[in-house]
Amino acid sequence: MAKINSHFSKLCSNYLFPEIQKRVASFKEAADPSLSFLNLGIGDVSKPIAPPIAEAIAVAAEKMSQKESIRGYGPENGYAFLRQAIFEDTYSNLDLSADEIFISDGSKCDTANILDIFSQDNVVAIADPSYPVYVDSTVMSGRSGHANQQGQYEGIVYLPCTKESNFLALPPSRHCDLIYLCSPNNPTGTAFSRKQLESWVSYAHEHQAIIFFDTAYRSFITDQTLPKSIFEIPGAHEVAIEFHSFSKSAGFTGLRCAYTVISKRLMALDSQKKQSIWKLWKRRQSSKFGGLSYITQCAAKASLSKKARQYIKEDIQNYMQGCQRLKKALEDLNYTCYGGINAPYLWCETPQDMSSWDFFDLLLQRVQLITVPGRGFGPAGEGYVRLSAFATEKTIDEAISRLMQLHVVSPSICC
Ligand code: MLT
């Protein structure tokens, strides 16, 4: 009989977001059908794509329907028109070229697939808590070892993001080879300063390590002193790979488009010889990725236009205003909340001694508010829930009013 990849049996049973959906569905099944649910759980956009993006989609579809402008297979790394637009938008002052940008259908897949090109012997370090894809794909790739009773994998180096470190990962005292970082960090909503990022780049040089730097939320940074790309840091080109997605920055969760930036200067060892990571990723993508649709790439290019940017800017401001309102309401109810300034996520302490899953259940059952239990993002997420502000104004207002109501009815829920 065929055998499975045994590393899959080391995973916890469900991916975090389907697990939440399952618990919500099972509660709904038994609940009063008139109840309405408010989703501040998964970070999925609630605003439509900007009109210039929709127009670009229609034009691209029309082109594909004409025999003189049909498009078949595109380049695996993306059309030059999109790579050039991204380069001009973000990387032209950062000592990179359009050729060092690889288009894909999501940072979720890119941050998981990147492990393909690295040896099994590498020690993987991951911020804790973090986007669950990093841990899950490290487990699937056979680099994690087994989980202990606390659900922590013995082969992964967890980099605790605690109150003391502003919920960001700091360089460890031990050696690591591959390091997953996200800034602004999902789920804690806090972002690295230039100095902190410099300390990571020097750690990576000292240890000949590579940083996987996820910038999915960088469009939400309001503090203009914070770096938006790791390539703003001198020396990063030799030690970092950057990931960015249009999902959150241009509302592409349903359209799918992202990219990975790898400098041609980035090298890693193959026995005693140095190999170009840029070449290996290009090789990997040409075999395993069929390229992103022409239509979606036209949409992504349109999202970088001046006209679309105006709409997107308004959407982002709107999400962030909702985030501020929610944060203030929670603080007025004596909750301690972090994040929400440079990312649309609030990292909220659970009430006295309540576990993150228990508080998730309480909010779901008592006020039908869907959040994400911090524990789902890693062991250091225990004691917190994440609230997403990717919601409409109406949802945020209703969430605030239900939370206030909950505290009137149950003043004993004490923070
Ligand atoms: C999240 O809610 O953490 C993310 O939006 C989920 C995702 O990007 O897959």
Side-chain angles (χ1 to χ4, degrees):
M1 190 183 272
K3 298 186 183 70
I4 63 153
N5 169 355
S6 59
H7 302 303
F8 274 65
S9 57
K10 297 174 193 160
L11 290 166
C12 45
S13 55
N14 279 327
Y15 182 58
L16 176 61
F17 297 105
E19 175 61 29
I20 288 171
Q21 271 171 8
K22 197 177 111 190
R23 292 186 188 218
V24 172
S26 112
F27 174 72
K28 271 186 185 169
E29 221 175 86
D32 175 349
S34 68
L35 291 181
S36 72
F37 291 76
L38 301 174
N39 195 352
L40 302 185
I42 191 164
D44 197 0
V45 293
S46 61
K47 298 185 191 305
I49 50 169
I53 301 175
E55 282 158 27
I57 291 174
V59 171
E62 176 62 24
K63 266 195 187 167
M64 290 191 75
S65 75
Q66 307 295 324
K67 64 174 179 302
E68 53 285 355
S69 55
I70 66 154
R71 292 288 191 291
Y73 290 123
E76 291 87 1
N77 302 334
Y79 283 102
F81 68 76
L82 178 56
R83 287 189 283 126
Q84 184 63 26
I86 294 167
F87 167 74
E88 283 165 19
D89 184 71
T90 311
Y91 295 103
S92 60
N93 291 328
L94 297 180
D95 202 9
L96 287 152
S97 65
D99 201 26
E100 289 164 308
I101 298 167
F102 296 81
I103 308 298
S104 77
D105 59 353
S107 289
K108 183 177 192 173
C109 351
D110 282 355
T111 54
N113 292 337
I114 197 73
L115 289 172
D116 269 12
I117 61 175
F118 291 97
S119 156
Q120 289 297 110
D121 307 340
N122 287 303
V123 176
V124 181
I126 304 178
D128 173 25
S130 69
Y131 183 38
V133 172
Y134 313 150
V135 167
D136 281 7
S137 42
T138 303
V139 175
M140 292 174 190
S141 75
R143 292 174 174 90
S144 67
H146 285 277
N148 63 20
Q149 281 189 332
Q150 288 74 48
Q152 225 163 326
Y153 292 94
E154 63 212 12
I156 292 178
V157 177
Y158 290 83
L159 305 168
C161 305
T162 60
K163 212 179 285 184
E164 293 66 40
S165 67
N166 189 26
F167 299 98
L168 292 163
L170 302 178
S173 46
R174 61 160 292 175
H175 172 82
C176 301
D177 300 296
L178 304 173
I179 303 143
Y180 278 101
L181 300 176
C182 180
S183 183
N185 189 31
N186 178 13
T188 61
T190 51
F192 281 123
S193 68
R194 194 164 297 274
K195 201 155 165 251
Q196 286 167 323
L197 214 45
E198 280 166 1
S199 73
W200 268 113
V201 170
S202 42
Y203 173 92
H205 274 279
E206 193 184 322
H207 290 264
Q208 301 200 308
I210 294 182
I211 299 169
F212 300 152
F213 195 67
D214 189 347
T215 65
Y217 299 91
R218 72 171 174 222
S219 315
F220 295 84
I221 291 180
T222 53
D223 176 350
Q224 294 312 319
T225 66
L226 301 179
K228 290 191 170 173
S229 163
I230 195 164
F231 296 118
E232 290 176 36
I233 309 298
H237 299 65
E238 291 83 14
V239 295
I241 297 176
E242 180 156 293
F243 303 91
H244 185 68
S245 160
F246 289 79
S247 286
K248 313 294 152 83
S249 59
F252 270 51
T253 51
L255 274 172
R256 316 300 308 147
C257 183
Y259 57 85
T260 290
V261 187
I262 306 180
S263 162
K264 289 184 182 163
R265 285 187 257 157
L266 180 65
M267 301 284 163
L269 272 187
D270 176 14
S271 311
Q272 294 312 311
K273 235 175 58 230
K274 281 187 180 172
Q275 290 265 12
S276 154
I277 296 301
W278 179 89
K279 273 193 192 157
L280 289 176
W281 183 245
K282 191 171 162 77
R283 180 71 187 83
R284 189 258 174 223
Q285 291 297 81
S286 355
S287 285
K288 290 197 173 183
F289 181 58
L292 190 67
S293 81
Y294 171 70
I295 294 178
T296 313
Q297 293 191 58
C298 290
K301 184 179 175 223
S303 77
L304 300 173
S305 68
K306 210 168 152 202
K307 232 165 114 199
R309 283 190 166 282
Q310 210 38 49
Y311 289 95
I312 291 169
K313 195 171 153 201
E314 259 172 48
D315 288 348
I316 289 179
Q317 277 171 352
N318 201 267
Y319 287 137
M320 293 309 282
Q321 280 159 4
C323 200
Q324 290 312 307
R325 284 210 313 282
L326 184 59
K327 188 172 189 179
K328 175 156 188 328
L330 285 161
E331 286 171 349
D332 288 349
L333 292 168
N334 281 333
Y335 286 94
T336 307
C337 273
Y338 303 90
I341 295 169
N342 294 299
Y345 290 139
L346 294 177
W347 191 237
C348 181
E349 278 180 16
T350 59
Q352 276 176 1
D353 298 333
M354 203 179 274
S355 81
S356 63
W357 276 110
D358 284 349
F359 191 47
F360 163 87
D361 282 335
L362 181 138
L363 292 174
L364 174 66
Q365 291 165 17
R366 300 279 297 277
V367 286
Q368 292 75 59
L369 186 58
I370 304 166
T371 57
V372 185
R375 181 63 184 82
F377 294 104
E382 187 51 276
Y384 296 87
V385 292
R386 189 194 78 179
L387 295 101
S388 157
F390 283 108
T392 60
E393 277 169 58
K394 199 165 156 238
T395 303
I396 297 278
D397 289 343
E398 180 62 19
I400 292 172
S401 118
R402 289 191 196 178
L403 282 163
M404 286 166 65
Q405 188 62 26
L406 174 70
H407 281 261
V408 171
V409 178
S410 308
S412 60
I413 301 172
C414 177
C415 313

